[in-house]
Amino acid sequence: MWQFFADHPWVTVFAVIAAGSLLGLARLGPIRLGAAGVLFVGLLVGALDPDIGPAVPAGVSVLGLALYVYTVGLESGPAFFRELRPELAVMAGAVVSLVVTAVAVGLLGNRVFGISGPYLAGGFAGISTTTPGLAAAQAASADPAQPAVGYAIGYPLAVVVTILFIAGLAAVRSWPGRRDPGEDLPRRLETVTVAVRNGADWADVPGAAQGRVLASVVQRAGGQPEVASGVGRLAPGDRVVVVGGPDQVRAAVAALGDLADEHLLDRRDRIDYRRVLLTNPDLAGRTVADLDLADRFGALVSRVRRGDRELLAQNDLRLQLDDRVRVVMPRERSDEVSRYLGDTEAKVSEVDAISVGIGLALGFLIGIPSLTVGSATLSLGTAAGPLLMAMFLGWLRRTGPLVWTLPTRANLTLRQIGLLLFLACVGLTSGYAFRQNAFSLFGLKLLVVLLISALLSYALMVLAARLLGQSRPRTMGLLAGYVGNPAITAYANTRSSDARVNTGYSTLFALAILVKIVCIQLIVGL
């Protein structure tokens, strides 16, 4: 009866993707499986008949994984290199925690329960919710189905336990963050017009010199509104439009005077503002200052919307394709500004095949060399090679005419497609082995090993963050990045409105994947 699935593998793969995505939408309290639903549906279908798994087209899972890790690396690379120096101690704490966890998994699982390395490696990838780690475990194992069994047991366990950890952290009120650099990015931006009562130099306004607030429009007493390309000194009777986070804007208003009765941006006869889509490839990777809008058009960028994030347009902020740039400009120059920035909707989903092809080729190339350590063979492989190369290229952003970064929408689309293909293939090829092993005494032993290891791992990361003086919100983000699951990050954001949750996540996400891949290959060597 189930032979149809084996005879028509492409139908099976995409049916699993559809059904698994539907399962991923279902919520169990705060938990939603997301893309992992595809893995579990794939395991279910693959368990129906031993002929289904071998019929899956070869190479599809490798292609899916490569697309996933490459797009992840392009996005996370800039944050990783930016945070490398200030967060080096935290990163070291995460590395130590992961290594200790890998040792615990190996000793407890192999020496105490007699479980072989491939199962344990997949389980370690599961409690780390790292899809590239699963691929590394399969590549290093003689039987790729064994790591998938461990991953399928460890993954849901990790999501549940981590969410309980996040809930516990959210309930803690006394948590000093003595070395935390503070909430660096506001979750939202405000724009207000201030009626100046207290004369002051703009550089002396709280947050102005640090780029925490900026002025977009100024109207001198008795004059007309102008783009605030150079504010200088503000005198009583002037009005100025201030942009920044709520707390920073409030401090600026208190220093200058009061909120004005009329918002200057409501008058659009002389000064206009609009969001312009950045699609000009010549401007990708440039900073806001490099746009030189003030000299070219008498204009100014006040905000940048990137995906779901709203960023203050500081001069050193680097732009990327698909950014929506909020420009304040003389009304008669608006068309010129739009043409200069691109503003072509059709380009936001385009992929530069040249840069992607070169980047992936280089990623696969650096994944080829291997190093033998005892009985373990270490290599970057098809998981870490493209990831590491993409992180570096994402940090570079461009090399001459080549733009390495992708428009946000194109990046997310390729990432989703790659992940779904990989998980569907893994589930289908491993389903029958999962059926034979998971629901048995062996499966119970593996579950116990992974539960103990998960509790140890997450506790070590939280302890390291606490000892290193990180704040409670940043610790929640660090734990989410350490585990590497976006569902956990989303839950952490519902428990804390602090932007340090997201910055903590980006600090550890890519680094943790690379360390996990190395640890997983060592565990397989058992």
Side-chain angles (χ1 to χ4, degrees):
M1 157 177 196
W2 306 117
Q3 190 62 33
F4 176 85
F5 292 123
D7 292 340
H8 304 279
W10 284 112
V11 174
T12 305
V13 168
F14 285 98
V16 165
I17 288 175
S21 298
L22 185 62
L23 174 63
L25 295 175
R27 283 190 178 275
L28 299 173
I31 301 173
R32 191 173 69 176
L33 288 176
V38 175
L39 172 67
F40 293 110
V41 170
L43 289 170
L44 174 63
V45 174
L48 298 176
D49 191 280
D51 293 333
I52 295 176
V56 174
V60 176
S61 62
V62 175
L63 173 62
L65 177 70
L67 291 175
Y68 173 72
V69 296
Y70 187 76
T71 51
V72 165
L74 288 179
E75 182 182 47
S76 60
F80 172 78
F81 287 105
R82 183 180 63 247
E83 300 291 337
L84 187 57
R85 181 175 295 179
E87 298 291 350
L88 187 59
V90 172
M91 291 179 177
V95 171
V96 171
S97 300
L98 286 170
V99 171
V100 171
T101 303
V103 171
V105 169
L107 292 179
L108 183 62
N110 187 255
R111 300 291 175 85
V112 177
F113 289 97
I115 302 172
S116 64
Y119 287 106
L120 295 174
F124 179 81
I127 62 173
S128 304
T129 70
T130 173
T131 305
L134 171 59
Q138 290 182 310
S141 304
D143 183 0
Q146 294 181 3
V149 172
Y151 185 86
I153 293 174
Y155 185 96
L157 179 69
V159 175
V160 172
V161 174
T162 309
I163 284 179
L164 292 176
F165 265 79
I166 295 291
L169 288 172
V172 177
R173 298 303 172 194
S174 177
W175 185 290
R178 62 186 186 280
R179 296 179 184 172
D180 199 307
E183 184 175 354
D184 51 358
L185 292 174
R187 292 182 62 85
R188 62 185 179 88
L189 298 178
E190 290 185 354
T191 303
V192 302
T193 299
V194 182
V196 179
R197 306 278 184 253
N198 310 312
D201 289 329
W202 173 252
D204 296 331
V205 173
Q210 298 79 24
R212 313 288 283 181
V213 293
L214 60 83
S216 62
V217 178
V218 63
Q219 182 181 20
R220 305 296 179 179
Q224 295 293 330
E226 300 174 351
V227 175
S229 54
V231 182
R233 183 165 184 80
L234 293 167
D238 292 348
R239 292 191 296 175
V240 61
V241 176
V242 177
V243 187
D247 294 338
Q248 292 78 17
V249 166
R250 208 162 23 245
V253 172
L256 290 173
D258 308 295
L259 290 177
D261 297 332
E262 178 188 11
H263 189 26
L264 285 179
L265 292 181
D266 290 341
R267 292 179 52 187
R268 306 180 72 167
D269 53 336
R270 288 177 54 87
I271 302 299
D272 198 6
Y273 68 93
R274 57 175 295 192
R275 288 192 186 275
V276 183
L277 194 63
L278 183 70
T279 58
N280 183 350
D282 293 335
L283 302 180
R286 311 295 186 190
T287 64
V288 170
D290 290 338
L291 296 180
D292 198 24
L293 293 184
D295 291 337
R296 289 174 180 268
F297 311 106
L300 177 146
V301 179
S302 60
R303 306 183 186 198
V304 175
R305 186 168 184 84
R306 181 171 297 163
D308 294 329
R309 297 172 58 199
E310 193 85 30
L311 306 172
L312 193 64
Q314 300 168 343
N315 282 333
D316 60 350
L317 175 66
R318 290 196 174 273
L319 301 169
Q320 61 187 48
L321 295 175
D322 198 24
D323 281 347
R324 293 190 176 273
V325 181
R326 176 97 168 250
V327 184
V328 179
M329 56 202 154
R331 186 177 181 83
E332 66 275 8
R333 309 297 298 271
S334 58
D335 290 341
E336 296 176 76
V337 172
S338 296
R339 286 194 297 270
Y340 175 65
L341 296 178
D343 204 27
T344 305
E345 193 74 28
K347 289 188 176 182
V348 297
S349 298
E350 290 183 357
V351 174
D352 186 341
I354 298 175
S355 65
V356 171
I358 293 174
L360 279 171
L362 291 174
F364 284 125
L365 188 63
I366 66 172
I368 294 174
S370 61
L371 173 67
T372 300
V373 179
S375 58
T377 301
L378 303 180
S379 69
L380 292 175
T382 57
L387 173 65
L388 190 60
M389 179 55 63
M391 289 171 61
F392 175 70
L393 296 179
W395 174 64
L396 285 181
R397 287 188 171 86
R398 69 181 301 146
T399 304
L402 286 177
V403 178
W404 301 113
T405 56
L406 293 172
T408 302
R409 295 183 221 183
N411 184 299
L412 294 176
T413 300
L414 288 178
R415 185 184 312 179
Q416 185 76 352
I417 292 173
L419 182 60
L420 294 177
L421 284 173
F422 175 75
L423 291 177
C425 292
V426 168
L428 289 169
T429 54
S430 309
Y432 204 75
F434 181 77
R435 168 183 168 179
Q436 294 176 313
N437 293 281
F439 305 103
S440 62
L441 179 60
F442 170 81
L444 180 61
K445 290 180 180 178
L446 184 56
L447 177 65
V448 171
V449 171
L450 296 181
L451 176 60
I452 295 173
S453 302
L455 292 172
L456 172 66
S457 183
Y458 309 154
L460 284 174
M461 185 65 246
V462 171
L463 178 62
R466 181 65 185 267
L467 293 176
L468 292 170
Q470 301 300 295
S471 66
R472 180 176 57 86
R474 193 178 298 276
T475 300
M476 294 165 66
L478 290 169
L479 180 59
Y482 175 82
V483 179
N485 192 296
I488 298 169
T489 312
Y491 177 72
N493 276 307
T494 66
R495 302 306 304 268
S496 175
S497 59
D498 198 307
R500 286 174 288 187
V501 171
N502 290 324
T503 55
Y505 176 84
S506 62
T507 297
L508 291 185
F509 177 66
L511 172 68
I513 291 177
L514 293 172
V515 176
K516 291 169 191 174
I517 288 173
V518 175
C519 291
I520 282 166
Q521 293 179 76
L522 290 173
I523 293 174
V524 172
L526 291 172

